[in-house]
Amino acid sequence: MRQIIITISEIYLDRLNIVAEQLHREGLLIIKLYEFGVIIGMAEEEVIPKIRDHKEVASLVEEKRVNIPPPDSEIQ
């Protein structure tokens, strides 16, 4: 699962709970729901494009993964 941050379009803020429920049914695990239209949650890789395609979603940002080798590993 990946953590994502979703911003809901301003025109749908009056339906924020309904939109959140729809996204939850699509597979979004909601961690935090902010009244100003931001949802922080977790979703599987294959679900993210479906969530991004919702007309209510203004933007969707995925967490970035960084792999750092152990301190005692050789320099590459």
Side-chain angles (χ1 to χ4, degrees):
M1 287 191 117
R2 296 198 62 179
Q3 183 168 339
I4 57 176
I5 301 170
I6 302 166
T7 305
I8 303 302
S9 182
E10 187 177 342
I11 61 174
Y12 296 105
L13 290 182
D14 61 332
R15 299 181 43 210
L16 184 59
N17 289 327
I18 295 169
V19 173
E21 180 60 33
Q22 290 172 344
L23 297 176
H24 177 72
R25 284 194 301 262
E26 289 280 338
L28 176 66
L29 173 63
I30 298 172
I31 296 170
K32 187 72 177 173
L33 176 65
Y34 294 97
E35 292 179 21
F36 49 86
V38 173
I39 302 171
I40 298 174
M42 303 283 286
E44 297 291 343
E45 292 282 336
E46 62 272 3
V47 173
I48 293 173
K50 294 176 188 175
I51 293 170
R52 185 177 273 124
D53 286 343
H54 276 259
K55 66 181 178 183
E56 299 90 352
V57 174
S59 72
L60 186 151
V61 179
E62 300 176 45
E63 75 175 346
K64 303 295 182 207
R65 294 185 185 206
V66 177
N67 294 323
I68 300 174
D72 58 344
S73 67
E74 292 184 28
I75 298 175
Q76 298 189 17

